[in-house]
């Protein structure tokens, strides 16, 4: 075995001390300083070197004088005698080097500590907070909605955990949101699917947990499922049930997500939710404004309230006994949700009223309301036979397939749907879809929806509904919305020239572009991210709303 030299041993020990951190280095410098001071004191004492007054110094006094020169270079000026001056000069120089090294170590240690704090690694000590795992474009709307929901709470907290730089996330949030009202937003940096990182955010005492799907990754659902798994199957998990809401993008992953989350997690299948919404809105102009109002915390929302006075009474009897609210359904004790049930449905003791109201404290049952209803204003029309309909879809993305499936339930057999896009995949998708729908014939026309010539050749006046979808494959949000906007402007011009209005529903990917697109005078706009964000925020306050909207969008 090769012989280890004394120099290598010293170097090895020194490197180990350095790698042990600032405290070890400070200790090493303190020992080194002590050695210099003691050695100088011993030399002075042994050789009987006198002080400035010509007096002999004992060992303790010599050590003390050496220590004073080590910490104060100015003390050297009062020394007399070249022997004393030489020894004290060496002590002072040693002290200066040690002090410089100490300042460097303290500065470096302080910078490292500030960097650690900047990364957001300290434990969150809040309780009753809303915890958001993940950071994507939806988070700004979610935080904004939760801020509005928390206005009547003096000390509300939102904690965000994401695998991004803490300061950058805080800057992005402050850029989008300027007024946090009574809510404090706390950001931590770490993996949303790592148990130790989640532990820092105190999920055990969180009021609710929102899990966001990561962007620009393959199969983002696996990350969501892993985050839910880290919560529900953690050996240190809380004894009670979590209140988790999350988004899922692929149908194939719903079963696995449900298995992992059990009855603690409620999922929004984003494609299905937006597709159902689009299918309904395209058939009823202005419906998007209704859903937009209900999904916001600002204005009126859907609330659940237990009212003992309702026990034993029929739904129809109390329907008009809420002056400032609209009763829409019943939440049965077993968990069933009944929206607009038969008028003779009876409220049981533990049932809750489902109502649209400004706030939960404005849902007030009044027994002595006497409404004067003039039935002359009611219009009764005979049921007419449903006609075959023609639907035009301009543009194509994954939601298009589900929208066609959802529309099939509303259409009379023999209806037609024409899709115009530049995607070569569209025709293949429609061939597969044709075997799955029964009430509509599907056709594809290759064309650019931003081209006026393409739109002129479609004979737009012959279509009952027009849906404009955003391109998502290989196109960023701004370019996609720009193409949609151009298409809408062409449709507006054609409508004015024909003197005929079109029933148009348009998808926008960025809420900021919706305001620009309003000049195109489309009937309804759907901003997918905003709709999902608001739904997640609503469910974080009350997970039962998922069942309500599932019924409304059937």
């Amino acid at each position: 075995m090769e012989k280890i030299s004394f120099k290598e041993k010293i170097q090895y020990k020194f490197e180990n001390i350095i790698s042990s951190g600032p405290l070890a280095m400070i200790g090493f410098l303190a020992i080194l300083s002590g050695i210099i001071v003691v050695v100088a004191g011993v030399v002075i004492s042994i050789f009987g070197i006198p002080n400035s007054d010509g007096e002999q110094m004992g060992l303790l006094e010599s050590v003390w004088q050496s220590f004073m020169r080590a910490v104060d270079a100015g003390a050297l000026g009062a020394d007399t005698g070249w022997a004393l001056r030489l020894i004290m000069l060496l002590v002072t120089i040693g002290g200066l080097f040690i002090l410089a090294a100490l300042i460097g170590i303290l500065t470096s240690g302080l910078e490292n500590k500030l960097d650690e704090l900047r990364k957001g690694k300290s434990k969150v000590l809040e309780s009753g907070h809303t915890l958001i795992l993940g950071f994507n474009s939806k988070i700004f709307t979610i935080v904004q909605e939760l801020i509005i929901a928390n206005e009547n709470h003096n000390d509300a907290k939102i904690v965000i955990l994401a695998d991004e730089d803490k300061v950058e996330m805080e800057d992005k949030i402050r850029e989008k949101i300027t007024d946090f009202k009574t809510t404090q937003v706390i950001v931590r940096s770490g993996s949303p699917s790592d148990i130790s990182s989640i532990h820092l955010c105190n999920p055990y005492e969180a009021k609710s947990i929102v899990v966001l799907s990561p962007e620009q990754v393959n199969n983002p659902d696996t990350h969501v499922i892993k985050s839910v798994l880290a919560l529900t199957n953690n050996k240190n998990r809380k004894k009670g049930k979590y209140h988790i809401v999350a988004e899922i993008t692929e149908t194939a992953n719903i079963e696995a997500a449900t298995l992992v989350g059990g009855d603690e997690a409620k999922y929004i299948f984003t494609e299905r939710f937006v597709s159902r919404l689009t299918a309904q809105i395209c058939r009823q102009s202005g419906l998007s404004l209704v859903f937009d109002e209900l999904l916001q915390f600002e204005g009126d929302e859907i609330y659940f309230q237990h009212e003992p006075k309702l026990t034993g009474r029929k739904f129809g009897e109390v329907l008009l006994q809420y002056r400032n609210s609209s009763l829409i359904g019943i939440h049965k004790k077993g968990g069933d949700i009944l929206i607009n049930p038969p008028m003779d449905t009876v409220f049981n003791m533990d049932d809750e009223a489902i109502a649209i109201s400004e706030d939960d404290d404005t849902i007030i049952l009044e027994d002595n309301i006497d409404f004067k209803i003039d039935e002359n204003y009611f219009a009764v029309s005979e049921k007419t036979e449903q006609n075959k309909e023609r639907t035009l879809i301009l543009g194509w993305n994954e939601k298009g397939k589900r929208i066609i499936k959802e529309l099939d339930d509303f259409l009379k057999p023999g209806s037609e749907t024409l899709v115009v896009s530049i995607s070569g995949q569209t025709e293949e998708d429609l061939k597969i879809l044709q075997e799955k729908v029964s009430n509509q014939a599907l056709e594809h026309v290759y064309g650019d929806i931003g081209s006026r010539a393409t739109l002129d050749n479609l004979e737009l006046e012959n279509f009952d509904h027009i849906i404009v979808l955003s391109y998502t494959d290989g196109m960023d949000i701004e370019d996609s919305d720009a193409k949609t906007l151009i298409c809408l402007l062409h449709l507006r011009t054609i409508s004015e020239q024909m003197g005929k209005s079109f029933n148009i529903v348009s998808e926008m990917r960025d809420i900021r572009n919706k305001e620009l697109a309003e000049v195109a005078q489309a009937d309804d706009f759907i901003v997918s991210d905003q709709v999902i964000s608001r739904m997640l925020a609503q469910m974080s306050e009350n997970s039962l709303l998922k069942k309500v909207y599932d019924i409304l969008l059937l």
Side-chain angles (χ1 to χ4, degrees), residues 236-476:
N236 297 319
R237 59 156 296 155
K238 72 176 185 179
K239 295 181 180 179
K241 291 184 178 180
Y242 286 108
H243 176 187
I244 305 171
V245 296
E247 55 175 334
I248 292 293
T249 60
E250 297 291 338
T251 310
N253 296 321
I254 291 180
E255 184 176 352
T258 304
L259 179 65
V260 167
D263 59 354
E264 296 180 272
K266 298 293 185 293
Y267 300 98
I268 295 180
F269 179 29
T270 56
E271 298 293 338
R272 178 191 295 170
F273 188 83
V274 175
S275 301
R276 284 181 174 179
L277 191 61
T278 305
Q280 291 211 13
I281 288 174
C282 80
R283 303 184 58 77
Q284 178 60 61
S285 179
L287 192 58
S288 68
L289 298 177
V290 176
F291 281 103
D292 193 50
E293 173 69 20
L294 290 178
L295 287 171
Q296 293 186 65
F297 281 108
E298 190 172 12
D300 291 358
E301 305 98 53
I302 298 175
Y303 291 98
F304 291 64
Q305 187 185 70
H306 179 254
E307 175 56 71
K309 294 180 182 179
L310 291 175
T311 303
R313 303 183 68 178
K314 296 180 180 180
F315 182 80
E317 293 176 2
V318 297
L319 192 59
L320 300 179
Q321 290 190 293
Y322 287 88
R323 187 183 301 275
N324 298 316
S325 306
S326 297
L327 187 66
I328 63 171
I330 304 174
H331 174 217
K332 306 299 287 184
K333 179 182 178 181
D336 291 337
I337 299 290
L338 306 178
I339 300 298
N340 192 27
M343 294 296 107
D344 59 354
T345 304
V346 177
F347 280 90
N348 296 324
M349 182 179 297
D350 296 320
D351 292 346
E352 291 182 309
I354 305 175
I356 299 174
S357 189
E358 184 178 359
D359 209 338
D360 53 1
D361 57 2
T362 60
I363 307 175
I364 302 173
L365 178 68
E366 301 182 35
D367 293 325
N368 299 318
I369 296 182
D370 184 18
F371 288 103
K372 295 181 179 180
I373 300 175
D374 189 347
E375 296 186 5
N376 293 323
Y377 286 98
F378 294 163
V380 179
S381 59
E382 295 182 1
K383 185 176 181 180
T384 58
E385 184 180 354
Q386 184 181 7
N387 296 321
K388 299 176 182 178
E389 300 177 33
R390 298 192 73 205
T391 303
L392 174 63
I393 299 179
L394 300 173
W396 190 249
N397 58 38
E398 282 298 314
K399 287 188 284 293
K401 293 184 285 187
R402 187 164 289 278
I403 290 172
I404 289 175
K405 290 180 183 178
E406 297 292 340
L407 280 173
D408 202 58
D409 295 332
F410 298 103
L411 299 174
K412 181 180 179 180
S415 297
E416 300 175 15
T417 298
L418 174 65
V419 179
V420 180
S421 77
I422 57 174
S423 172
Q425 182 62 35
T426 307
E427 192 162 352
E428 293 298 321
D429 291 340
L430 294 181
K431 287 181 180 179
I432 298 173
L433 278 171
Q434 187 65 79
E435 300 177 359
K436 299 179 180 180
V437 297
S438 56
N439 295 329
Q440 54 188 320
L442 306 180
E443 183 182 354
H444 174 246
V445 171
Y446 186 88
D448 181 6
I449 65 172
S451 167
R452 173 64 188 266
T454 298
L455 298 176
D456 284 335
N457 293 330
L458 295 176
E459 299 180 350
L460 299 174
E461 67 276 10
N462 295 326
F463 290 94
D464 300 288
H465 315 288
I466 299 176
I467 301 173
V468 183
L469 294 180
S470 299
Y471 283 104
T472 56
D473 294 338
M475 190 176 293
D476 63 26

Side-chain angles (χ1 to χ4, degrees), residues 33 53 97 128 143 167 204 207 222 252 285 309 322 339 359 385 401 403 421 492 511:
S33 178
D53 297 328
F97 277 112
V143 171
V167 176
Y204 322 107
K207 176 179 67 175
T222 58
S285 179
K309 294 180 182 179
Y322 287 88
I339 300 298
D359 209 338
E385 184 180 354
K401 293 184 285 187
I403 290 172
S421 77
R492 173 187 173 182
I511 182 61

